[in-house]
Amino acid sequence: MQEITLRTERRTQLLDITSQVAESLNGVDGAAAALVYVPHTTAGVTINEDVDPALARDMEAAMEKVVEDGWDWVHDDADGPNAPSHMRASLMSPEVLVPLSEGQLALGRYQGIFFCEFDGPRERKVYVTALR
Amino acid sequence: MQEITLRTERRTQLLDITSQVAESLNGVDGAAAALVYVPHTTAGVTINEDVDPALARDMEAAMEKVVEDGWDWVHDDADGPNAPSHMRASLMSPEVLVPLSEGQLALGRYQGIFFCEFDGPRERKVYVTALR
Amino acid sequence: MQEITLRTERRTQLLDITSQVAESLNGVDGAAAALVYVPHTTAGVTINEDVDPALARDMEAAMEKVVEDGWDWVHDDADGPNAPSHMRASLMSPEVLVPLSEGQLALGRYQGIFFCEFDGPRERKVYVTALR
C-alpha cells in the first residue's frame, strides 16, 4: 500500500491526483487493478474529465446543490456542524478501482482521478493498493 | 466469500457493520483488499464516520431529500411502489472495497462501514470477499 | 481485460449489460471478483433490479432531477455544455466490482448490471477485468 499526501485549499474542491496515483504505481508488476482509497469521512474520490478546469468547479458547485447546507442537520463535533460534508463524501464514494494494463492505469482518453474535498482546507491522505 | 446476515428495523437506516466485516476476515492471510458487497436492489453500503450516531440519522434524512418520494415514479411490484428506494441504493453504491494491512481493514481513524437500508425493515445479506 | 462495445439510443439511458459481462468472463478460472469499468466521463455503471423495465426509466428521470440541467453550469466543449452529464456520471460511479462464485457473477436474485448513459446517443466501451 502506497500513501499520497496532499493539501486542499478550499472547502469543496476537486483536485486532480492522476499523476500522483500513477507515480505510486511505479514498479508494480503483474497487477490487474489499482485501488485508490480515501481514509477520511468528509472527502472522497471520483473519475471524470481532466481537460477543462471549469468542469471541476461546476461539479464542486453541483455537489453543494445535490446536498444543501440549509437542510436540517443535527451532527456537530470538533470539526463543527459538517454533516453535509459527510453526506457529499459518501455520495461521491470513498474509493475507485481502476484497471491496469501492463502496469499503467487503463484510464479512458479524457479521464483523470480526482480527490474530492468536502470539508477543507486540510491535509489529506490517499492510499493506493495494487490488486492481482 | 463470507456471508453476513443482518436485520434492519426502519425504512431508511444506516447500520454500522464494521465489526461483522472485520470478523468475517479472521484468518484471511496475504489479501490486499476486502470487497463488501450487497446482493440487494434497495440497499447499499458506504463508509463514513462511526463516532456520532446523530450523523447516521442526518444521512438517512438527507438521502430522502436527495431523492424525493414525491417525484413521479412508475415502478410498482410485489414490494410496492419503491422506486425511490432503488434509486437511493444505486446512488449510495452496492459495494465498497477496503484495503487490508496485515489482514486488518485499513480504515481511517474515524471510518466505519455502514449497511444502508432503503426499503426496510428486512432481513438482509452482505458478502465479504478477500482479494489478493 | 475484456472489452464490451455497445450503442446507446437516448441522452439518458440505463442499459442492462449483465449478459455481456457474464460472457466476457467465460473461461475465467479461480478469480474472486470482476471489475466492470467505464472509460468515459459522461457515463457510469450501477447494479439494480433488472426485472421491471419501468424502473430503469424511473431512475433515468430521477438522475435528471437529482442533478438539474437548469443549474448554472460553465463547462462547454466540443460535446456542448454537458456538465450535468459529467456530474451524473460521477454520482453513479465509473465502476462496480462484483464477487465471483465458481467463475460466475455472484449477483443477488434480482440484480443486473446497468451501463448508465448520460450524454447519448453514442458508441461506448466497457472494460471487464477479473481479479484474484
Side-chain angles (χ1 to χ4, degrees):
Chain A
M1 192 164 90
Q2 299 294 310
E3 205 171 295
I4 296 168
T5 301
L6 53 91
R7 178 141 203 101
T8 58
E9 305 296 338
R10 289 176 283 118
R11 183 188 179 214
T12 302
Q13 181 180 14
L14 269 64
L15 206 65
D16 192 339
I17 57 168
T18 314
S19 61
Q20 290 100 308
V21 174
E23 261 171 50
S24 75
L25 292 167
N26 266 348
V28 163
D29 208 26
L35 169 60
V36 182
Y37 183 85
V38 173
H40 305 287
T41 61
T42 53
V45 60
T46 195
I47 289 174
N48 216 298
E49 187 200 295
D50 66 356
V51 180
D52 173 18
L55 178 61
R57 295 297 182 119
D58 275 349
M59 291 177 64
E60 293 163 9
M63 287 304 292
E64 299 189 349
K65 285 172 184 154
V66 172
V67 175
E68 297 180 22
D69 289 330
W71 291 345
D72 286 334
W73 302 100
V74 176
H75 171 69
D76 198 352
D77 63 14
D79 292 326
N82 63 351
S85 307
H86 288 283
M87 184 72 252
R88 288 166 193 145
S90 270
L91 277 182
M92 200 55 114
S93 174
E95 46 88 2
V96 289
L97 183 62
V98 185
L100 297 173
S101 177
E102 295 176 19
Q104 308 289 313
L105 295 165
L107 292 166
R109 186 173 171 185
Y110 301 111
Q111 286 185 323
I113 303 170
F114 290 86
F115 182 86
C116 303
E117 175 63 80
F118 294 114
D119 198 32
R122 293 194 193 223
E123 187 172 296
R124 298 292 204 174
K125 286 180 181 172
V126 175
Y127 301 157
V128 181
T129 302
L131 300 180
R132 287 187 277 170
Chain B
M1 194 164 89
Q2 299 294 311
E3 206 171 294
I4 296 168
T5 301
L6 53 91
R7 178 141 204 101
T8 59
E9 305 296 338
R10 289 177 283 117
R11 184 189 179 212
T12 302
Q13 181 180 15
L14 267 64
L15 206 65
D16 191 339
I17 57 168
T18 313
S19 60
Q20 291 100 309
V21 174
E23 261 171 51
S24 75
L25 292 166
N26 266 348
V28 163
D29 208 26
L35 169 60
V36 182
Y37 183 85
V38 173
H40 305 287
T41 60
T42 53
V45 61
T46 195
I47 288 173
N48 217 298
E49 186 201 295
D50 64 358
V51 180
D52 174 17
L55 179 61
R57 295 297 181 118
D58 275 349
M59 291 178 64
E60 294 163 7
M63 286 304 292
E64 300 189 349
K65 284 172 184 153
V66 172
V67 175
E68 299 180 20
D69 289 330
W71 291 345
D72 286 333
W73 302 99
V74 176
H75 171 69
D76 199 353
D77 61 16
D79 292 325
N82 64 351
S85 306
H86 288 282
M87 184 71 253
R88 289 167 193 146
S90 270
L91 278 183
M92 200 56 113
S93 174
E95 47 89 3
V96 290
L97 184 62
V98 184
L100 296 175
S101 178
E102 296 176 20
Q104 307 289 312
L105 295 165
L107 292 166
R109 185 172 171 186
Y110 301 111
Q111 286 186 323
I113 304 171
F114 289 86
F115 182 85
C116 304
E117 174 64 79
F118 294 115
D119 198 32
R122 292 193 194 224
E123 187 172 296
R124 298 293 203 173
K125 285 180 181 171
V126 175
Y127 301 156
V128 181
T129 303
L131 300 180
R132 288 186 278 168
Chain C
M1 194 165 89
Q2 299 294 311
E3 205 172 295
I4 296 168
T5 301
L6 53 91
R7 179 141 202 100
T8 58
E9 305 296 337
R10 290 177 283 117
R11 183 189 180 214
T12 302
Q13 181 179 14
L14 268 64
L15 205 65
D16 191 339
I17 57 168
T18 314
S19 60
Q20 290 100 308
V21 174
E23 261 171 51
S24 75
L25 291 167
N26 267 348
V28 163
D29 209 26
L35 169 59
V36 182
Y37 183 85
V38 173
H40 305 288
T41 61
T42 52
V45 60
T46 196
I47 289 173
N48 217 298
E49 186 200 296
D50 66 355
V51 180
D52 174 17
L55 178 61
R57 295 298 181 116
D58 275 349
M59 292 178 63
E60 295 163 7
M63 287 304 291
E64 298 189 349
K65 284 173 184 152
V66 171
V67 175
E68 297 181 21
D69 290 330
W71 291 345
D72 285 334
W73 302 99
V74 176
H75 171 69
D76 198 354
D77 63 14
D79 292 326
N82 63 350
S85 306
H86 289 282
M87 185 70 252
R88 288 166 193 146
S90 270
L91 278 183
M92 200 56 115
S93 174
E95 47 88 3
V96 289
L97 184 62
V98 184
L100 296 174
S101 178
E102 295 175 21
Q104 307 289 313
L105 295 164
L107 292 166
R109 184 171 172 186
Y110 301 111
Q111 286 186 322
I113 304 170
F114 289 86
F115 182 85
C116 304
E117 174 64 80
F118 294 114
D119 198 32
R122 294 194 194 223
E123 187 171 296
R124 299 292 204 175
K125 285 179 181 171
V126 175
Y127 301 156
V128 181
T129 302
L131 300 180
R132 287 186 279 169

